[in-house]
Amino acid sequence: MNSDRLTSLLGLAQKARKIVSGEFAVEQAVRSNKAKLLLIAIDASENSKKSYHSLANYYQIVCYETLSKDQFGAATGKPPRAALAVIDSGFSQAIITTLLT
């Protein structure tokens, strides 16, 4: 995984308003089937990870654990975040491709 490319993609997606962050907003995006990809910070609490994984499994959304909360915040220009939901299929495909290489 190329973390620089991933943070660049997250920044572009944020500028295009195709990323939702914050606990309530992420859960709402997943429950309304707007989320195409769920990213969880590797340093999020175990309870948060379990909750997000359960949510993603229930709504059949692709979910990955990657980067840290600080890296998520820096990439999106916000305070540290435990999870991000990508709501655009193009960005989600590009991010998945980056995660798998």
Side-chain angles (χ1 to χ4, degrees):
M1 176 192 69
N2 184 346
S3 62
D4 290 337
R5 174 144 171 76
L6 181 58
T7 54
S8 294
L9 280 170
L10 291 174
L12 285 173
Q14 177 63 37
K15 286 180 184 175
R17 296 185 178 203
K18 301 299 181 186
I19 285 188
V20 176
S21 63
E23 181 181 357
F24 179 75
V26 168
E27 287 181 16
Q28 189 176 17
V30 170
R31 288 192 173 120
S32 65
N33 291 323
K34 290 182 182 177
K36 310 295 184 212
L37 173 66
L38 182 61
L39 299 174
I40 304 170
I42 55 175
D43 58 348
S45 72
E46 291 304 315
N47 285 340
S48 293
K49 287 180 184 180
K50 183 179 175 184
S51 173
Y52 285 123
H53 279 293
S54 296
L55 193 65
N57 286 337
Y58 183 79
Y59 288 96
Q60 298 177 346
I61 294 173
V62 178
C63 179
Y64 287 99
E65 285 186 35
T66 184
L67 302 179
S68 68
K69 293 191 284 188
D70 291 331
Q71 288 173 310
F72 278 169
T76 59
K78 297 187 178 218
R81 304 290 179 169
L84 301 173
V86 181
I87 58 173
D88 180 75
S89 56
F91 276 115
S92 67
Q93 284 299 92
I95 290 169
I96 290 169
T97 301
T98 302
L99 287 169
L100 297 177
T101 57

